[in-house]
Every structure is written in C-alpha cells, then in structure tokens.
Amino acid sequence: MAQAALKPIARNAPDETVDWKRITYLMHLSRALDEMEETRLVPEKKVLYQFSARGHDMAQIMLGSHLTDRHDVTCGYYRSRPLLLSLGVDPLDALGSAMGRAGGYSDGRDIGVVFNYPNLDGASALPMCGGVGAQYTPTAGWAQAVKYYADVLGKAEYRESIAVVLGGDGSVASNGFWSALTIATTQTLPMLFYIEDNGYGISVPSTIQTPGGNIAANLSGWKNLTIFEGDGTDPAAAARLTGDAVEHVRRSRGPVLLRLTVPRLQGHSFQDTQAYKNEETVRSEWARDPLPRLKGYIVPAVLSEAEWNAADEDARQAAETARIAAEARPTAVPETVTRHVFFDGEVQVMGGQIRHGYRAPETVATVQADGQRINMVTAIRRTLDHELSINERVVLFGEDIGPKGGVHAVTLGLQEKFGSERVFDTSLSEEGIVGRAVGMALAGLMPVPEIQFRKYAEPATEQINDCGTIRWRTNNRFAAPMVLRMPGGYFKCGDPWHSQTNEVAFVHQPGWKVAVPSNAADAVGLLRTSLRGNDPVIFFEHRAMLDHAWARRPYPGDDYSLPFGKASLTRRGDRITLVTWGAMVHRCEEAADGISADVIDLRTLMPWDREAVLSSVRRTRRCLIVHEDLGTAGFGAEISAVVADEAFMDLDAPVSRLTMPDIPSPHNPVLLDWAVPSVGKIRAKIDALLEF
C-alpha cells in the first residue's frame, strides 16, 4: 500500500479549477429530486422505490466532474443518482425511470434507482444491479479491457481511461468487493474503488461489516493499492480527494481506494424510519449536511448569495419541469415487455464486439471434414485456437487454463501461442471470473471464461443472472455477449461436487443461450456460433464425452457453424421418439438399436427445437425423454409439458421420462451406474412404451 500525499490547500481559498457553480446547481437538483419523491411522488404512489442521496450527493457530483475521458466508466448502486446527474443524465429520465414510465433507463422494466447510461461521447454508467456488491467485478472487467486495448492492441485512446466503482460501507463485506480488489491489485488495473461510508448498512453498523468500521485502515497493508480517505462533507477535502484519486489512477494506471465518510440523512429507503438510530446520532448526522457546508465555503468567495439562491430556484424549476414531462410519459406497451431478452436484430447501444465494428466471417452449415476423427477436447481447442487467431477481441481465462492448459486439457498450448494477455489464469473466485467477463464484454471484447466444473458456478450465480438480464433490463441499451465454458456430468465415477449437470438452472436464467453438444463436430459448430454471436452463452462440455470414442468426429472445418435451436435427428424411425442431449445421446442410440425409432439430439436447450420434437412425436405417436439431470423440475419436464399440451391427441402412450433420481451424483461407480440412465434401462423403458 502506498500512502498518498495530500496537497496542501488554503481553507479560505476555494480551488479555482473546480466548477463550483455547476456543482452547486447539481447539488440543488439532486436535493430537489429527492424532496419531490419523498414529499409527493412516493406518497402519491407514483414512485414505488426511493433511495435518498442526501449526504452522499456533494462528493459524488465532484467525482463525476472528473470523469472526462470518452472511455471512462462508472458503476454505482442505488444511491448514486447525483453521480449520474453529473455525467449528464437528464432528470426527466431519472424521474421517469423512478416512475416506471416508458423510455428512460429501462422502459419501466427495472427499478428506477438501478441506473444505466450509455454515453458514446463521454463517460458512461455501466448497468447497475439490485444486489449489493455486484457492481465491483464488472467494473474490474472494464478496467482490464481498458488495459488490454491500450497495452495489447495499442489503442492510444484508452491510455488514460479509467473505471470507477461506487459502494457503501456495507458492500465491503461482499464477495464482489474482495474479488475485484484481488483482480485490480494483482493485474494492476486503472480502477478507483470509491467507498461512501455512512456508518450503516441499512441498520447494521459498519463495525460489523469490517473490523473497526474503516476499510481503508484495514487495507493499509494491501500491496499495489493506493489509499485516500477523508471527510466527504468538507467541500475543500472532497474536491481535493476526488480529484487526486482520479488523477492518481489516470497517471499510475493502478488501483486506488478512496474512502469518504458521509452522513445518510434519510433512511436506507423511504420506508426506513431509522428507529435504530438515537436522537443524538441523527442530530450529529444533520450537523454534517454537506449542502450548508458547501454554501459556507463558496458564498461569498465564489458565488454571491443571490447566485446561490438562483441556482436553487433553477434546480427546483428543472425538477418540476422534469416531473411534468415524466408524468406525461406513458407506460410501455405491455406486449413489448418480452422483447430484447436476446439479440433480435436491433443492435444494443453499448457492449459486445459488434458495437466495435466486428463483423463475423461467413460460415457454412455443411461439414468440410479432413478425414481424421478427433475427440471433443481437441475439437474445442482447435476452434478456440482458430477464433483467437482471427479475432483480437477473443480472450480466454479461468482457473488453471494457462500453462496447465485446463484441468481437462482443453486450453493446452493456447497461452504459449497467444500470450498471457489473451489466455490467462485467474484467482480462485467464480464471482470474479464471470463478473470480470461481464465488464470485458460491455467494453467490446469477446470473453471466454471457464468454470472448472458445473457445481463451481454456484458462487457466480448472481453475476450469471445479472449478465443474462442486462439486455432486457436496460431495454437494449447494453448487452454483454460472452461464452461461459463449463464442464460437468459424470466421468468414470461421480460425486456431488464435480459431476452435476443441472443445466436446467441456466435455462431458467433469462438472456442466456445454452448449448449442450454431444460430439466433437457439434461442439465446433455451436462454439463457433457462440463466439461470433451477440448473446451470452453457457457452453456445457460433458466430461464423459470429452474423450469418448463415440463422440469423436472429423474436424468439420474452420468455417463450420451450427444454429441454436436446431436439433439433430441422429436416427430415424416411426415407432417411438427419443428426445435427449449431451452424454445420453449415444446411450439412446445404443438402446434403440434394432428398433424403428427417432433419436433427437436437441444440441441446445435455450432455445430448443420444439418443432422437431412435435413433428416427430406426431409421426411416431410415442415419446421418451432421457436426460442425466434430476427428474423433478428437470428440463425433460418442460419438453413433456409441451408435448402433452400441443400433441396430446396424437399420442398412443403417455409421455415418459427417464432421468437420474433426485439425488446428487454418487461417487462409487456401481452406485453411479445404477443412478445414471443406462442403455439397459433406456431399452426397458422403450419396450414398455411400445407395449402400452
């Protein structure tokens, strides 16, 4: 840790380089919006969620005034509206979004305090999240992308760009904070951690969030981190500290933590009465209100009393004008709320390589095989190798994927060939792996993070969910396309930690496409489509098929791709339809030997090929769904429901499923063989349905 030297400043001489007039106006505007919501719009039930920024506002506005680079970004949280106003957000959008009206941040899809601000001509605000601490690792990802653009791709316009993340004292206890701190300091990233310490996480004192209640003091020995701290209600100190912190990140290209103490002058939210604070605490907080302190500092030294009052009046009028216009905005047309879950041809305003001029090469749907059969590991590696070689925006990362080449050897040799800036190991934090990928994707890279095993994705659940919903909840203002590689399933033996599939959980995360290839050729086609696409993709690599003899195929060519939502009919017949995917495809084919059966390999679960299944079932009049995941609420239940709903009158037997029982994957091979659908069990189920 480097202790930053503070510049001396005369207390009675406001810094002439600071635009005090603009800060005064924005401060009054922020207060006017807060007051309007608290006294009118919330009681009138026109605003349903309200978080006052009183006490936090002055320093935030000062911080925003320093974000002047076109590629600067910030990512805040629910109390960050003053910062947004300082970046240029229209108060009409701020109020209209708070009212859930059409337009604004989300077209009424998200809470109004969950901001986003795509600004192609200046500093942007990345899509905020409703979860505390979820803002940190995506911001670190943007900072790493900035470094990549400047140092690896040689783009001069990124050489002074920075990423700024805002958080309260409660957020410093979150996984996201510590993961981002590790990323920023081990990678030496141009990132500012701006911590507003108001002493409380709702009602929980900051002393419970971090020992002694001072995260800056506790990080005093943290290597590669420069720390600033001070009083965020003192105009001179706040102006100096925000300016020095931003300047330090710009010049040193390394991380800084700025902790400012501020009062939270209202409750956590409108509904919070602050009954947990005694009267003396409340009085002491109001005594530190930065608004009168700002007035006392710059009036009359910079502004006259009349100019101060005029700024107040102008801000109130602007807030009232914004309210009238916001209330005139309609509610979005309900039928449009299903748009923009996935890319539908209308390109997002920010995020993804397509926004940076990327145009995918032409692809073919026909196999151009070289004759030699290769396993799925080699097929995936060869595809990644090719896409890395033709697209400088592709970056691979995860635990052990560098010199080791991944625990499944999929990335073996890629770091040696493409360098540690493009293929690199990460700290052991799935939150950090996926979160940083979000920030990189928002910056226009095509990140390919790896989760070592399906079960290990659980710590990243929040980032996975947030990533998938970005396009929808910002109404196509932002998107974060990526390919999240994830091995899973049984392999020789099983266990509850490395052998789960549970792919249905990702199908239930809106915005994610899900690929589950069963063989090497399909893995190539689906992976290439994913890497050149404009949506986030879960790419599931079944461990049992990575080197399975049945899954080996000739490499289908560097131009081969497969569409999502298009199943493969691997065997054709007319007596029964078997619907399956992943490791169960070859077992279904063996079980159907000698029987006239359709075997449908779905290949992708989101979207899935409903028409192929329904068309087959209407012809064969029987349907068996086989998958490795648990039976209860597994994806087979969705297929079964669709078949029953849309092809019931065509059936000669009930729709049937064969799955794992509702247990984790057992370790002993004998127990595992009993639990996973076997060829024998599948054949028995087929026979029973044919005899029905």
Side-chain angles (χ1 to χ4, degrees), residues 225-294:
L225 180 69
T226 299
I227 293 176
F228 295 83
E229 63 175 323
D231 184 353
T233 71
D234 180 334
R240 182 175 73 254
L241 287 166
T242 53
D244 287 353
V246 169
E247 182 70 9
H248 194 282
V249 178
R250 287 207 198 282
R251 299 293 167 244
S252 73
R253 311 309 293 158
V256 167
L257 183 139
L258 169 59
R259 171 184 175 261
L260 294 179
T261 55
V262 294
R264 193 187 72 201
L265 299 180
Q266 303 296 136
H268 167 73
S269 63
F270 181 83
Q271 292 78 14
D272 179 16
T273 63
Q274 301 198 96
Y276 44 85
K277 292 181 180 178
N278 60 43
E279 292 183 6
E280 177 56 33
T281 298
V282 173
R283 278 196 300 270
S284 66
E285 288 180 329
W286 276 99
R288 298 181 60 228
D289 183 353
L291 183 61
R293 297 190 77 179
L294 175 63

Side-chain angles (χ1 to χ4, degrees), residues 399-439:
E399 298 161 21
D400 299 303
I401 75 147
K404 181 177 175 60
V407 295
H408 302 94
V410 172
T411 58
L412 191 64
L414 294 181
Q415 185 181 82
E416 183 179 0
K417 182 174 182 179
F418 294 100
S420 58
E421 296 87 359
R422 300 193 66 194
V423 182
F424 57 89
D425 289 326
T426 67
S427 54
L428 205 162
S429 169
E430 285 76 21
E431 148 84 32
I433 291 170
V434 179
R436 105 167 69 183
V438 172

Side-chain angles (χ1 to χ4, degrees), residues 126-127 138 142 340-343 348-355 434-449 463-474 476-484 511-513 530 533-538:
L126 300 183
W142 184 283
H340 302 315
V341 176
F342 297 105
F343 175 55
Q348 60 273 11
V349 178
M350 281 189 71
Q353 56 186 350
I354 192 172
R355 284 298 310 172
V434 179
R436 105 167 69 183
V438 172
M440 288 179 162
L442 291 170
L445 300 181
M446 172 46 77
V448 187
Q463 290 298 337
I464 291 172
N465 177 273
D466 291 347
C467 176
T469 62
I470 283 175
R471 186 189 299 276
W472 180 86
R473 61 187 162 90
T474 67
N476 209 38
R477 286 156 66 107
F478 284 91
M482 70 174 70
V483 181
L484 178 55
W512 282 95
K513 291 185 174 180
S530 304
N534 196 27
D535 285 303
V537 174
I538 301 287

Side-chain angles (χ1 to χ4, degrees), residues 28 73 102 111 134 156 175 316 320 341 398 405 407 482 508 550 613:
H28 283 304
V73 300
I111 303 171
N175 291 345
R316 289 179 181 276
E320 182 64 16
V341 176
V407 295
M482 70 174 70
H508 219 253
W550 177 90
V613 172

